[in-house]
Amino acid sequence: MKVAKIHELPKNFGKTVIVCSHEIALFKLANGNIRALANRCPHKGGVLAEGIVSGEQVFCPMHDWKINMCDGNVQAPDFGCVKTFPVEVENNEV
Ligand code: FES
């Protein structure tokens, strides 16, 4: 399923997309990699697409939990996991 054109994604900002009724936070990182994860923080449901990106991490906009976008794990001392999704890029489309 095509959800975005790669050139329309600003680097290090999230974009909310809906895929099969799931709300996904889509990110294009500074290195050009694309990451996709469930758009809700496991703490209190912060919208991760509005978070601050640093490398492969996104900081939840609500209480600053740090989430690894590769595996979805929350960095200690906080805990939890966000579902991540595989991404394919073909003909400049995600
Ligand atoms: S809701 Fe994300 S850190 Fe609290």
Side-chain angles (χ1 to χ4, degrees):
M1 179 178 206
K2 295 171 186 170
V3 295
K5 293 186 188 303
I6 201 157
H7 68 271
E8 291 174 350
L9 297 174
K11 279 189 176 174
N12 285 338
F13 282 94
K15 176 183 172 72
T16 298
V17 297
I18 306 293
V19 179
C20 300
S21 75
H22 294 287
E23 198 174 302
I24 308 289
L26 196 63
F27 294 92
K28 181 165 73 177
L29 307 184
N31 62 10
N33 287 342
I34 308 292
R35 299 283 183 243
L37 58 163
N39 201 15
R40 296 292 161 181
C41 176
H43 181 216
K44 293 188 177 177
V47 178
L48 296 179
E50 297 173 3
I52 305 271
V53 173
S54 174
E56 292 274 3
Q57 321 282 333
V58 60
F59 291 81
C60 176
M62 286 186 69
H63 313 98
D64 229 21
W65 279 22
K66 190 174 181 182
I67 295 156
N68 185 310
M69 289 188 271
C70 289
D71 57 17
N73 286 326
V74 173
Q75 181 175 289
D78 305 310
F79 58 89
C81 190
V82 179
K83 186 169 176 50
T84 58
F85 300 93
V87 174
E88 290 178 13
V89 177
E90 191 177 311
N91 297 325
N92 290 318
E93 292 190 292
V94 181

